[in-house]
């Protein structure tokens, strides 16, 4: 076709060809692989990457594949986890003549001054000296392969895999498979976690705790769901309801045994749920709390009242949540009748000093990964001393004092919780811990502070499951 806009002067020089030897160094930046030694093989059509643990995941309309690569030959200890969109699944004849069904992914290939998109098939065969094979399909029209030469393009080396910092810079955000253990997939917090996780490129599934079951086996612990073995999850966010704490904790321990990160460990959930145990843990860590007493025998009722400083005092069912099992006894007589009523029902409860100066207000500090990321002040409805939002309390922003922030962090740490809601009362002599919640709701506090707290939950998970750098070894 004739150029409709001919330019004056001589025609431009054809661009110099891009030369490749039979072996070259390259990087696959989109997969977080900063240096690979590749064999250029024009006898092969498609390019291939040697990967293992190849596993498809994600929704059917946007399927993805996860896999791992040993980028350095002979260094099985260096493992880079990768993930990518699946472009296709194709039959490929491998170099040994066998037919294989392989996933095809797209990635950018970087070599010397150039970057260009290529299709790569994933194959899990015996380890080869070259982790990548460049087939003719990946070569552009202006590329020339000289099979007699090697390394026509600049050399790279494997040192990028030795530094955590450089690895983090090289690694694209990796797609994680995350489970939210919850029985309520319609709840605000669950929906927010799913939406935020997906927005960050992760695959997030809500699993109903009570529908999970397990085979307890020392060598290969597994968790099953609706008749099928669950795939490996990178992380679990437990949002276990109070009614299923014991079973939920058992499921979590199973995930822990399988090497899955549990944002909150089973032990911390169990200890924080049981108000009595929680107070004992707090006391052991010398964290301030209202004077609290507990007894089993009816004969001790009067002593209990004395121990906590007499009426008015607060009586709490050990399993109370949302303020439902918390009673204020204003007089000694009222305290005696509440205590004997609870005993008659064989309910477990504790008796606590009433922190009057808190004046129907408590403070909720949200701790994620060792940082206080948000805080709110909750005010009880008129005529009510319990500030729970479920009982009509209202949420307001609050700036925490240093002593309050420190106390919240120490409380979350005492239970080893990666995500915790720490409730405190403002007493005359400083903050006092009321309780530590291992499934804190996000609705009230996201609304009160206007912060995207679900995103911070995923930041913490991403931080904790990132790839680890290779230990340096003497190189020959
Ligand atoms: P729940 O787990 O049911 O929420 P809490 O121990 O958190 O039980 O108590 C509910 C609410 O009652 C608290 O948020 C606080 O406003 C009020 N409250 C609880 N204990 C005391 C106390 N010792 N002194 C003053 N107010 C209290
Ligand atoms: Mg509470």
């Amino acid at each position: 076709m004739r150029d409709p806009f001919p330019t004056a002067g001589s025609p431009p020089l054809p661009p110099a060809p891009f030369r490749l030897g039979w072996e070259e160094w390259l990087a696959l930046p989109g997969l977080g692989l900063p240096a690979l030694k590749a064999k250029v093989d024009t006898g092969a059509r498609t390019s291939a990457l040697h990967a293992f643990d190849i596993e498809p995941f994600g929704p059917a309309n946007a399927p993805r594949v996860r896999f791992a690569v040993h980028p350095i030959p002979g260094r099985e200890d260096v493992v880079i986890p990768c993930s990518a969109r699946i472009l296709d699944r194709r039959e490929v004849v491998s170099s040994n003549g066998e037919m294989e069904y392989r996933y095809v992914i797209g990635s950018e290939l970087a070599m010397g001054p150039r970057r260009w998109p290529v299709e790569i098939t994933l194959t899990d065969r015996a380890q080869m000296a070259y982790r990548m094979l460049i087939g003719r399909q990946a070569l552009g029209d202006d590329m020339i392969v000289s099979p007699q030469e090697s390394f026509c393009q600049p050399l790279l080396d494997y040192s990028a895999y030795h530094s955590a910092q450089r690895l983090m810079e090289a690694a694209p955000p990796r797609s994680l498979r995350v489970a939210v253990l919850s029985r309520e997939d319609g709840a605000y917090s669950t929906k927010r976690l799913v939406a935020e996780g997906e927005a960050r490129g992760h695959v997030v599934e809500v699993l109903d705790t009570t529908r999970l079951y397990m085979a307890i086996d020392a060598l290969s612990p597994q968790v099953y769901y609706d008749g099928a073995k669950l795939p490996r999850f990178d992380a679990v966010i437990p949002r276990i309801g109070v009614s299923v704490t014991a079973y939920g904790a058992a499921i979590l321990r199973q995930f822990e045994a399988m090497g899955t990160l549990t944002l909150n460990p089973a032990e911390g959930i169990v200890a924080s749920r049981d108000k009595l145990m929680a107070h004992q843990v707090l006391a052991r860590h010398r964290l301030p709390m209202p004077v609290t007493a507990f007894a089993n025998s009816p004969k001790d009722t009067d002593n209990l009242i004395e121990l906590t400083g007499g009426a008015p005092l607060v009586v709490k069912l050990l399993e109370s949540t949302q303020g439902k099992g918390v009673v204020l006894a204003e007089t000694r007589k009222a305290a005696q009748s509440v205590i004997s009523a609870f005993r008659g029902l064989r309910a477990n409860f504790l008796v606590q000093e009433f922190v009057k100066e808190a004046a129907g207000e408590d403070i909720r500090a949200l701790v994620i990964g060792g940082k206080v990321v948000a805080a709110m002040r909750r005010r009880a409805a008129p005529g009510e001393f319990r500030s729970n939002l479920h009982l009509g309390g209202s949420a307001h922003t609050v700036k925490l004092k240093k002593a309050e922030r420190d106390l919240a962090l120490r409380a979350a740490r005492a239970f080893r919780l990666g995500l915790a809601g720490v409730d405190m009362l403002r007493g005359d002599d400083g903050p006092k811990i009321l309780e530590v919640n291992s499934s804190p709701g996000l609705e009230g506090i996201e609304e009160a502070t206007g912060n995207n707290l679900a995103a911070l939950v995923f930041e913490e998970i991403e931080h904790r499951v990132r790839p680890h750098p290779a230990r340096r070894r003497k190189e020959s």
Side-chain angles (χ1 to χ4, degrees):
M1 205 202 293
R2 226 168 356 121
D3 187 352
F5 304 108
T7 43
S10 53
L13 287 171
F18 187 74
R19 291 173 73 80
L20 283 84
W22 69 271
E23 52 179 345
E24 290 293 348
W25 283 92
L26 59 83
L28 299 174
L31 297 177
L33 295 165
L36 286 175
K37 214 192 272 182
K39 184 171 156 188
V40 180
D41 182 359
T42 50
R45 222 171 81 79
T46 43
S47 303
L49 180 65
H50 293 283
F52 61 100
D53 285 352
I54 302 170
E55 181 197 39
F57 70 106
N61 57 359
R64 300 178 64 86
V65 61
R66 288 153 31 112
F67 52 95
V69 174
H70 289 307
I72 313 177
R75 289 290 306 267
E76 301 283 294
D77 57 319
V78 183
V79 177
I80 304 296
C82 308
S83 66
R85 264 300 282 277
I86 297 175
L87 298 183
D88 195 8
R89 200 155 178 222
R90 211 177 277 162
E91 278 185 347
V92 175
V93 182
S94 66
S95 54
N96 58 16
E98 274 171 41
M99 184 72 92
E100 260 189 303
Y101 228 173
R102 293 189 194 165
Y103 289 105
V104 184
I105 61 168
S107 175
E108 192 153 78
L109 191 156
M111 190 189 290
R114 288 217 190 174
R115 273 171 172 244
W116 70 98
V118 295
E119 284 190 357
I120 300 172
T121 63
L122 300 177
T123 175
D124 183 0
R125 287 183 295 147
Q127 289 300 345
M128 303 236 180
Y130 296 91
R131 291 301 128 99
M132 170 116 190
L133 191 126
I134 303 180
R136 53 178 190 278
Q137 220 176 34
L139 301 174
D141 291 340
D142 66 332
M143 296 185 190
I144 291 179
V145 179
S146 12
Q148 274 72 265
E149 291 178 85
S150 38
F151 306 124
C152 297
Q153 297 299 324
L155 299 178
L156 299 172
D157 62 66
Y158 292 125
S159 62
Y161 298 104
H162 296 301
S163 140
Q165 194 49 42
R166 286 177 63 189
L167 256 189
M168 287 305 291
E169 283 160 13
R174 177 166 69 102
S175 217
L176 302 175
R177 181 181 244 156
V178 179
V180 179
L181 290 195
S182 170
R183 302 194 63 192
E184 307 163 52
D185 48 9
Y188 175 93
S189 302
T190 313
K191 282 199 296 202
R192 285 281 299 125
L193 288 168
V194 172
E196 246 352 279
E198 288 181 346
R200 295 170 83 89
H202 305 307
V203 173
V204 187
E205 286 164 63
V206 180
L207 303 178
D208 179 341
T209 322
T210 56
R211 272 161 59 191
L212 288 161
Y213 54 101
M214 52 204 157
I216 297 172
D217 180 313
L219 291 181
S220 72
Q222 297 291 352
V223 178
Y224 296 81
Y225 193 66
D226 281 351
K229 195 163 89 181
L230 282 182
R232 216 194 95 79
F233 281 88
D234 295 290
V236 169
I237 305 176
R239 313 270 323 163
I240 294 167
V242 202
S243 57
V244 291
T245 301
Y247 190 68
I251 291 282
L252 270 186
R253 281 192 293 271
Q254 190 85 348
F255 277 114
E256 286 164 16
M258 290 159 64
T260 296
L261 169 79
T262 48
L263 186 57
N264 283 340
E267 212 185 329
I269 295 175
V270 170
S272 64
R273 278 281 160 83
D274 174 338
K275 282 186 197 287
L276 182 61
M277 200 194 296
H279 282 87
Q280 289 174 318
V281 171
L282 293 171
R284 196 164 71 220
H285 287 82
R286 302 181 185 286
L287 303 180
M289 57 193 167
V291 178
T292 304
F294 172 88
N296 199 25
S297 151
K299 281 190 296 194
D300 303 321
T301 301
D302 283 329
N303 287 331
L304 273 186
I305 296 174
E306 287 320 316
L307 270 179
T308 46
L313 49 78
V314 177
V315 185
K316 294 185 192 182
L317 289 177
L318 292 194
E319 298 86 29
S320 170
T321 54
Q322 308 180 346
K324 283 173 201 154
V326 177
V327 182
L328 173 61
E330 307 211 38
T331 63
R332 189 182 188 91
K333 204 99 215 104
Q336 283 166 338
S337 24
V338 173
I339 291 172
S340 70
F342 278 3
R343 281 216 167 102
L345 295 169
R346 300 190 168 279
N348 290 311
F349 60 91
L350 57 77
V351 180
Q352 194 167 65
E353 149 205 17
F354 177 53
V355 183
K356 192 163 186 286
E357 65 270 22
E361 247 184 49
D362 76 352
I363 293 174
R364 159 65 58 99
L366 193 77
V367 179
I368 299 180
K371 266 188 237 123
V372 175
V373 296
M376 65 176 169
R377 184 167 58 88
R378 291 178 298 202
R379 252 230 80 82
E384 174 60 70
F385 81 103
R386 297 166 297 178
S387 50
N388 301 67
L389 300 182
H390 286 96
L391 297 176
S394 53
H396 310 270
T397 51
V398 66
K399 172 122 180 63
L400 292 189
K401 299 180 188 137
K402 185 172 182 316
E404 293 163 347
R405 265 200 313 277
D406 287 350
L407 184 54
L409 288 183
R410 286 165 65 202
R413 210 179 300 138
F415 296 95
R416 296 206 187 90
L417 298 177
L419 167 65
V422 181
D423 294 346
M424 294 171 282
L425 293 177
R426 281 181 160 162
D428 283 340
D429 49 349
K432 295 180 183 194
I433 299 252
L434 261 190
E435 65 174 339
V436 179
N437 198 317
S438 60
S439 298
L442 296 178
E443 185 165 16
I445 197 151
E446 280 198 335
E447 246 164 46
T449 61
N451 292 341
N452 184 343
L453 302 172
L456 297 182
V457 171
F458 280 92
E459 250 175 46
E460 170 65 10
I461 290 173
E462 288 158 12
H463 171 76
R464 281 171 66 181
V465 299
R466 73 183 164 197
H468 296 289
R471 258 180 298 116
R472 208 171 272 281
R473 219 189 255 174
K474 281 204 192 84
E475 242 116 1
S476 49

